[in-house]
Amino acid sequence: MYDYPLYRPPSEGNSLIIQATLGCSHNKCSFCSMYKSKSFVIKSLEQIKKEIDYFRQVYSYVEKIFLADGDALIIPMNDLKEILLYIKEVFPECIRVTLYGTPKSIMIKSIEELQELKKLGLYMIYMGIESGDDVVLLDINKGVNSKELVKAAQKVKESKILLSVTVISGIGGKEYSKNHAINTGKIISEIEPDYLGVLTLMLEKETHLYNKILNNEFKILEDIEVLDEIKLFLENIRVHKPAVFRCNHASNYISLKGTLPLDKERLLNEIIYYKSTSDLKKEEYRQL
Ligand code: SF4
């Protein structure tokens, strides 16, 4: 039933995945190889309904559904409404539907449309921010600037759909690390997301960024520098509403969990602790 590779956010591990689209409508970020093998396609309503019917036969109880692939929010409004209505009809026990939405696909929808989608069961949108620094955003070919990211995110917040965002530590390399940390902290403060995930840049061979590293045009951060960057990023986050903070993805050097702003000091202290033990390990290693 699935067209691989298939991705979903870690928190959707127990969700039924319905591939309403294939690939990513943008597919140009310099660090991302997720959908390089796929051309972007929005499946026909008929096909999506067929797949929903198929999954109903397979699963007797489905509480959560994730609409894949990388940008299901771009599905035209009437079709998306129809998909959500059909999910309600076929899976009446389903309590939440979530999807990835690029900033551009969020901007295409009006607040009223997003509110309507929420009423029909759209519970949360996952949006990749990656960085709040305009130089970095341009460099990674995100296709939007920081102002547009804030605008898109605030639109989701205004519609009362939950917003989960991710940023990538190390995405600015050594050159822009400081600006990336400070400006990403600032943008998160403006957005006040419900969930904030921090990933660490992982090298993918098929990407433009990987070639830049080979050509010495991008200098990847050392582990300790990643910790410094995350610390500076956290220091620059000033949110007033609770934001669940997660830095515990497989890509991360250390595991941090908490809720901002409540746990900010603890999280900063944990980074300081990790840094000191990691320095110690290096020191011990040098003495061997
Ligand atoms: S928008 Fe997301 S999925 Fe699409 S290319 Fe960029 S990082 Fe990859």
Side-chain angles (χ1 to χ4, degrees):
M1 183 56 67
Y2 291 125
D3 189 316
Y4 292 96
L6 183 65
Y7 298 96
R8 47 117 187 109
S11 48
E12 300 294 333
N14 296 321
S15 305
L16 167 64
I17 302 179
I18 297 174
Q19 255 177 326
T21 66
L22 299 180
C24 165
S25 63
H26 179 57
N27 216 11
K28 290 188 191 115
C29 295
S30 69
F31 60 91
C32 174
S33 63
M34 282 169 39
Y35 303 111
K36 286 279 181 265
S37 59
K38 294 182 183 181
S39 298
F40 182 67
V41 172
I42 299 175
K43 288 186 187 170
S44 70
L45 207 47
E46 194 193 357
Q47 175 62 27
I48 296 166
K49 284 186 174 181
K50 240 190 235 170
E51 292 183 23
I52 293 173
D53 290 340
Y54 165 80
F55 286 122
R56 179 71 292 178
Q57 285 166 18
V58 178
Y59 300 106
S60 58
Y61 186 79
V62 172
E63 213 173 60
K64 299 186 333 182
I65 290 178
F66 177 73
L67 295 179
D69 275 338
D71 184 22
L73 189 66
I74 205 165
I75 297 172
M77 189 59 191
N78 283 342
D79 285 4
L80 197 46
K81 270 167 47 182
E82 186 77 27
I83 294 165
L84 292 169
L85 279 168
Y86 198 63
I87 287 174
K88 267 186 188 296
E89 187 186 322
V90 179
F91 291 102
E93 75 276 24
C94 178
I95 54 169
R96 56 177 263 185
V97 180
T98 56
L99 42 70
Y100 283 129
T102 59
K104 278 191 177 161
S105 68
I106 293 169
M107 291 315 291
I108 291 170
K109 303 268 187 295
S110 67
I111 299 266
E112 293 71 28
E113 286 176 329
L114 290 172
Q115 285 167 340
E116 212 178 335
L117 295 176
K118 177 177 165 54
K119 274 191 203 138
L120 294 174
L122 184 57
Y123 176 79
M124 179 149 68
I125 295 176
Y126 294 93
M127 181 176 90
I129 282 182
E130 335 308 357
S131 176
D133 185 81
D134 282 329
V135 175
V136 174
L137 287 167
L138 194 65
D139 224 38
I140 63 173
N141 209 9
K142 185 69 192 166
V144 282
N145 60 30
S146 59
K147 271 195 188 138
E148 289 166 318
L149 281 170
V150 172
K151 230 172 158 183
Q154 286 176 339
K155 214 169 172 185
V156 177
K157 295 284 297 176
E158 211 177 318
S159 74
K160 303 279 184 253
I161 295 172
L162 293 182
L163 177 67
S164 176
V165 301
T166 47
V167 301
I168 303 180
S169 176
I171 194 72
K174 285 187 197 266
E175 194 175 358
Y176 299 116
S177 176
K178 200 171 165 196
N179 288 354
H180 167 56
I182 293 171
N183 291 327
T184 308
K186 279 187 190 160
I187 205 180
I188 294 298
S189 311
E190 272 191 75
I191 292 172
E192 305 224 52
D194 300 288
Y195 294 84
L196 165 62
V198 179
L199 312 175
T200 301
L201 180 67
M202 287 172 78
L203 294 174
E204 300 284 351
K205 281 193 178 167
E206 308 81 15
T207 61
H208 179 62
L209 187 58
Y210 186 79
N211 286 326
K212 280 182 91 173
I213 293 163
L214 291 183
N215 295 334
N216 233 358
E217 293 164 17
F218 182 95
K219 295 212 168 25
I220 200 147
L221 298 188
E222 308 285 328
D223 297 344
I224 293 291
E225 290 170 322
V226 170
L227 293 189
D228 284 335
E229 190 181 279
I230 296 174
K231 182 169 170 282
L232 187 58
F233 164 57
L234 258 173
E235 282 166 352
N236 279 278
I237 298 179
R238 287 175 191 90
V239 289
H240 302 98
K241 293 176 198 141
V244 175
F245 178 86
R246 292 286 180 268
C247 176
N248 57 351
H249 182 256
S251 65
N252 294 119
Y253 178 50
I254 56 170
S255 175
L256 298 166
K257 278 196 225 175
T259 302
L260 299 174
L262 191 71
D263 298 323
K264 183 169 165 175
E265 278 314 304
R266 174 181 62 77
L267 292 166
L268 287 171
N269 284 333
E270 280 182 28
I271 297 175
I272 291 166
Y273 171 76
Y274 277 121
K275 261 195 78 179
S276 66
T277 53
S278 152
D279 280 345
L280 186 69
K281 272 185 208 141
K282 280 196 173 165
E283 204 50 49
E284 282 169 354
Y285 179 73
R286 278 190 216 111
Q287 285 169 7
L288 287 177

